[in-house]
Amino acid sequence: MLTSTHSSIARPCCIPRSHIPTPRAVLSGLGGSPAPLIGPPLPQNAHLAYDASPMNSQLFISIHIILIVIHVILITVAYLIYLERKISAYIQDRVGPNRVGPLGLLQPLADGIKFMIKEDYQPHGADKYLFSLAPIAIIIPALIGWAVIPWGGYWDFPGFTVPLVGWVLEPSRVLIAAANVNIGIIYLLAVASLGVYGVTLGGWASNNKYSFFGALRASAGMISYEIPLGLSLLAILLVAGTVHPQSIIESQVAGGWYIISQPIAALLFFVCILAEANRAPFDNAEAEQELVGGYHTEYSSMRFALFFMAEYSHMVTSSAFLIVLFFGGYHLPFIGLTHPAATGLLAVGAKFFVLYFKVLLVISFMMVIRWTVPRIRWDQVMKLAWNNLIPAGIALLIITSVWVYLGWTAWWQLLGMNALLTVLIIALMPLLPRSQTNRKAQLAGSRFSPLPGEQVSTAPTSSAARDDQAPAVPSRETVGA
Amino acid sequence: MLLAVSDLSVYVPIGILVLMAVGFAVANIALTLIIGPSREGAVKGQAYESGMNPLMSARKRFNVRFYILAMIFLLFDVEVIFLYPWAATFGQMSPQTPEGAVFLGRIMFFLFTTVVAFIYAYRKGVFRFD
C-alpha cells in the first residue's frame, strides 16, 4: 500500500493532467449514473479547453494557501519576537514583557506601531539607493522561501465553479503548498543564497565602519555555511531519490524518518541553518560588543524592522525545511490522520497543525541555544565551516553514495553507516594537520611559564597573600595530631 | 517525458508571492516615511561609530582574504549544483548494476578533483583566518 501510493503520486507534475483519473470520473465510469449521456455531447478536444483556462485547481488552491500562510507567517514572526524576549527573560531570571495586554501578549502590536512612527533616517554619507534597497532585498528571499513547503500534503479537491468568472475547477488531487514545483529543494537553496545580498548591500551602503565589518563577516559566514548545507541535503536526496519535498516526506513515512537514518546530515543541516540565519552562536555579524549592531547599525524605524523580520521568517522557513527533510514533515507515527494517504479536509488541517507545532519546537530550541551558548569568535566560525563541516559533508556524501550503490538503504544500514563514519572521523582526527595559529601565546620569562631551564619562584610576593597561605599547612598537622 | 506548457502554471504562485513580498516591503517603508517625523541635522547625519567623530569614509580597501574565500566558495557551490541532478537520479537507480557503477565512478572522479582543489587551498593557507 505504501509503496504503491508513493510511486503513483510521487511526481504529479510530470503526468499530463488529463490522464489523472479523478474520483468523480472513476465513479461515473463505473456506476450506473446516466448523467453523462443526457447532456450535450462533449467536443472532441475537451481536455485542451481545460488547459487553456487561466485557472486550474492546483493554482486556485495555491493562491489561497499563499493568502492564508503569509498571514500565518507574519503573525508568527511578530509573536516569535515576543517568544524570544520571554524565553531570554526566563533564562536570565527576569519576567520579560508583561505590561501591554494580558501577559504582554499585545507587545508585538505595540512594537509594530512604535517602528511605524519612528523616523526613517539616512546618514549623509550613505549610498541613497542601495541603502533603501537593502531591507527590501533581504525581506524578499525571507518571505518567498517557504513556497515549496507541503504544509498539508495532498487534498482531494472536490471541484468548484468560481462565481462571477465562471471558471470550472475540476475535482483533482492538489498539493497544499504555495507552489507544487518538482524541484522544491533546489528552489530552497536558490532562494536561501539570495539573502546574502541584503546583508552585503546594507553594510556597504551605510558608509559606517562597523556596518562594513559586520557585512563582511556575515557574508563570508553565510556563503561558507551554504556548502555544508548543500552537502548534507545531498545525503538525503541520494536516499530519497527525489527533490520534491512531498515525495521526501512520503519516503520518510515508508522507510523511517531521516533523523534516524542520517543523523550526521541532520546535525550538519541544523548547524548550517543557524549560521545562515545569523543566529547565535554564529551571530558575529551583529556582535554587540565589537560591532554595535553590525550591518543594520544605521537603520531605523521600519527598515530596521524589515531586517529583524527577515531573520525571524528565515528561521521559520529553515526550521520548516529541517522538519520536512529530517523529522517526517507533517507525519506523526501511529496517527492515521497525518499519514500521506489521508487526503481529507480534516487530515489537511491536522497535518498543518502538526507541521506548525514541530516548527515552533525547533524555533524554541534555537532560541534556547541563543541564550545559553556563548558566541564563537569569527575565525573559529570560519574554521568550523571549512576545516570541519565541509570535509565531514564530503565524506558523508561519498559513503552515502557507496551505500546507495550497494542498495543498503534500510534505516538500520544507514544508521550503521553513520556510526562507521563517526568512528572514522574520531580515528582520523589526531592524524590531521593542526593549525598552530591562535594558540595561547607563551608568556616567555614570566614566573608562571618559565623559559626552558629557567628557575623561578612561584611563591606569593605580597605579604598579604603570604599571610593568607601560611596557616593552611600547620592547621592540618594540628588536626592530625 | 515532455513537460506540458500548462505545467509551468505551478510557477505562477511564486510570482504572486514575489509581488506580495515586494509590496509588503515597499508599503512598510512608505508608511513609515509618511507617518514618521523628519528632521535634519549636521551631527545627526554622521555615521554612528560609538560616539567618536568618524574619521574618514568606510569605503576603503579590505582584506583580500574575503575575495579568495568567495572564489573558493564559487568552486564548491558550482560543484554542489552539479551534484543535485546526479543525486536525484542515482537514488532512483536499482542497486549494483553496471550502469550504477559507471555513474558512481564518474562522480567519484569529479569529487576527487574537488577534494584535490580543497587540499591545495588548505595547503596554501586560505582557511587559516588568523
Side-chain angles (χ1 to χ4, degrees):
Chain A
M1 176 56 205
L2 284 178
T3 47
S4 71
T5 311
H6 179 204
S7 58
S8 62
I9 57 175
R11 273 177 193 69
C13 17
C14 300
I15 308 165
R17 211 170 272 108
S18 51
H19 295 167
I20 299 175
T22 58
R24 209 170 272 185
V26 170
L27 276 183
S28 62
L30 288 176
S33 163
L37 300 176
I38 293 175
L42 287 169
Q44 195 72 40
N45 49 0
H47 63 285
L48 288 183
Y50 164 64
D51 273 346
S53 158
M55 186 65 74
N56 59 49
S57 307
Q58 177 68 59
L59 183 55
F60 185 74
I61 295 299
S62 290
I63 290 170
H64 283 79
I65 295 297
I66 287 178
L67 292 178
I68 295 167
V69 177
I70 199 163
H71 290 100
V72 171
I73 285 190
L74 287 175
I75 293 168
T76 307
V77 163
Y79 274 92
L80 283 183
I81 297 169
Y82 169 80
L83 181 69
E84 172 123 49
R85 292 172 69 177
K86 274 288 184 193
I87 286 181
S88 70
Y90 285 129
I91 287 175
Q92 297 168 347
D93 204 7
R94 294 183 284 118
V95 180
N98 65 346
R99 293 289 117 177
V100 196
L103 295 171
L105 276 173
L106 294 179
Q107 186 71 39
L109 192 68
D111 284 345
I113 294 172
K114 201 176 106 181
F115 274 130
M116 205 66 93
I117 61 176
K118 289 286 174 185
E119 180 175 0
D120 183 28
Y121 195 75
Q122 262 190 18
H124 290 161
D127 188 310
K128 211 171 163 188
Y129 299 108
L130 293 183
F131 191 82
S132 310
L133 186 63
I136 304 177
I138 200 169
I139 194 78
I140 291 172
L143 282 187
I144 67 174
W146 53 270
V148 291
I149 296 171
W151 293 100
Y154 283 109
W155 178 39
D156 279 330
F157 181 57
F160 184 62
T161 305
V162 187
L164 300 176
V165 205
W167 292 329
V168 180
L169 304 172
E170 296 192 352
S172 61
R173 182 165 282 188
V174 295
L175 186 65
I176 304 297
N180 183 16
V181 294
N182 52 359
I183 52 160
I185 302 299
I186 296 176
Y187 171 85
L188 156 76
L189 279 173
V191 170
S193 336
L194 291 178
V196 74
Y197 283 105
V199 171
T200 316
L201 285 181
W204 192 81
S206 300
N207 202 359
N208 179 330
K209 282 148 207 125
Y210 291 117
S211 299
F212 186 59
F213 286 138
L216 272 181
R217 284 182 179 188
S219 47
M222 284 166 93
I223 63 173
S224 298
Y225 279 85
E226 239 175 77
I227 298 165
L229 182 82
L231 291 171
S232 65
L233 277 177
L234 277 168
I236 292 305
L237 301 187
L238 272 169
V239 181
T242 174
V243 281
H244 188 229
Q246 166 71 16
S247 310
I248 290 179
I249 294 178
E250 281 163 12
S251 65
Q252 287 185 73
V253 173
W257 292 1
Y258 288 146
I259 179 69
I260 304 168
S261 52
Q262 291 277 28
I264 295 181
L267 186 67
L268 284 180
F269 192 84
F270 184 68
V271 171
C272 292
I273 61 176
L274 279 181
E276 285 275 307
N278 272 319
R279 293 286 299 179
F282 304 107
D283 59 343
N284 282 275
E286 41 192 304
E288 295 91 352
Q289 294 87 346
E290 307 156 30
L291 294 176
V292 193
Y295 54 89
H296 51 57
T297 303
E298 292 292 346
Y299 284 90
S300 60
S301 77
M302 215 59 211
R303 291 186 212 224
F304 171 73
L306 287 182
F307 276 106
F308 221 70
M309 279 193 274
E311 181 185 328
Y312 281 84
S313 35
H314 199 104
M315 277 168 69
V316 174
T317 312
S318 46
S319 311
F321 269 102
L322 180 77
I323 295 297
V324 165
L325 291 167
F326 294 99
F327 290 88
Y330 48 71
H331 174 245
L332 279 182
F334 313 118
I335 296 180
L337 209 55
T338 60
H339 194 277
T343 51
L345 199 55
L346 184 65
V348 166
K351 287 170 181 175
F352 184 88
F353 278 103
V354 168
L355 183 50
Y356 188 74
F357 187 69
K358 286 184 182 176
V359 167
L360 283 189
L361 278 182
V362 173
I363 291 176
S364 309
F365 183 55
M366 288 164 110
M367 286 174 178
V368 172
I369 286 180
R370 170 165 179 186
W371 294 101
T372 46
V373 179
R375 182 183 299 126
I376 304 176
R377 215 171 55 206
W378 182 73
D379 64 303
Q380 291 169 339
V381 171
M382 301 303 285
K383 276 182 192 165
L384 179 67
W386 287 99
N387 294 356
N388 304 15
L389 295 187
I390 291 176
I394 291 177
L396 181 66
L397 172 64
I398 291 175
I399 196 166
T400 308
S401 52
V402 171
W403 248 244
V404 167
Y405 170 69
L406 294 173
W408 297 345
T409 49
W411 67 266
W412 53 274
Q413 287 163 328
L414 287 171
L415 190 62
M417 179 199 83
N418 275 272
L420 178 68
L421 186 60
T422 313
V423 169
L424 270 178
I425 289 174
I426 292 173
L428 286 179
M429 200 84 103
L431 305 178
L432 291 177
R434 292 187 69 83
S435 161
Q436 292 302 316
T437 54
N438 292 312
R439 279 299 175 83
K440 185 182 174 190
Q442 286 276 315
L443 287 170
S446 90
R447 61 199 181 94
F448 294 108
S449 56
L451 292 171
E454 188 186 7
Q455 293 292 321
V456 289
S457 158
T458 53
T461 47
S462 92
S463 57
R466 261 201 307 272
D467 293 344
D468 277 351
Q469 212 178 28
V473 179
S475 67
R476 208 176 289 150
E477 282 172 356
T478 49
V479 168
Chain B
M1 186 182 284
L2 285 176
L3 186 71
V5 176
S6 64
D7 281 340
L8 290 179
S9 72
V10 296
Y11 290 95
V12 172
I14 293 179
I16 296 172
L17 201 54
V18 173
L19 287 183
M20 284 177 76
V22 175
F24 177 76
V26 172
N28 266 321
I29 292 178
L31 261 179
T32 184
L33 273 175
I34 294 167
I35 299 175
S38 175
R39 297 181 201 90
E40 284 293 325
V43 180
K44 191 179 174 183
Q46 285 181 352
Y48 175 74
E49 296 187 349
S50 296
M52 286 184 40
N53 284 334
L55 282 178
M56 54 194 86
S57 163
R59 312 264 164 75
K60 301 174 79 67
R61 289 199 281 180
F62 57 94
N63 200 322
V64 72
R65 172 193 299 160
F66 293 99
Y67 178 77
I68 299 172
L69 191 76
M71 298 303 288
I72 302 282
F73 161 72
L74 268 187
L75 165 78
F76 275 90
D77 209 34
V78 172
E79 179 226 346
V80 168
I81 288 294
F82 278 128
L83 288 176
Y84 279 106
W86 169 77
T89 321
F90 190 67
Q92 290 171 351
M93 295 176 81
S94 45
Q96 304 191 15
T97 52
E99 295 84 22
V102 173
F103 251 59
L104 185 66
R106 285 183 179 164
I107 218 71
M108 282 303 132
F109 179 73
F110 182 57
L111 274 177
F112 172 72
T113 56
T114 317
V115 169
V116 168
F118 181 81
I119 292 172
Y120 178 76
Y122 185 91
R123 297 284 295 169
K124 281 286 175 185
V126 176
F127 309 132
R128 277 176 60 195
F129 302 109
D130 45 353

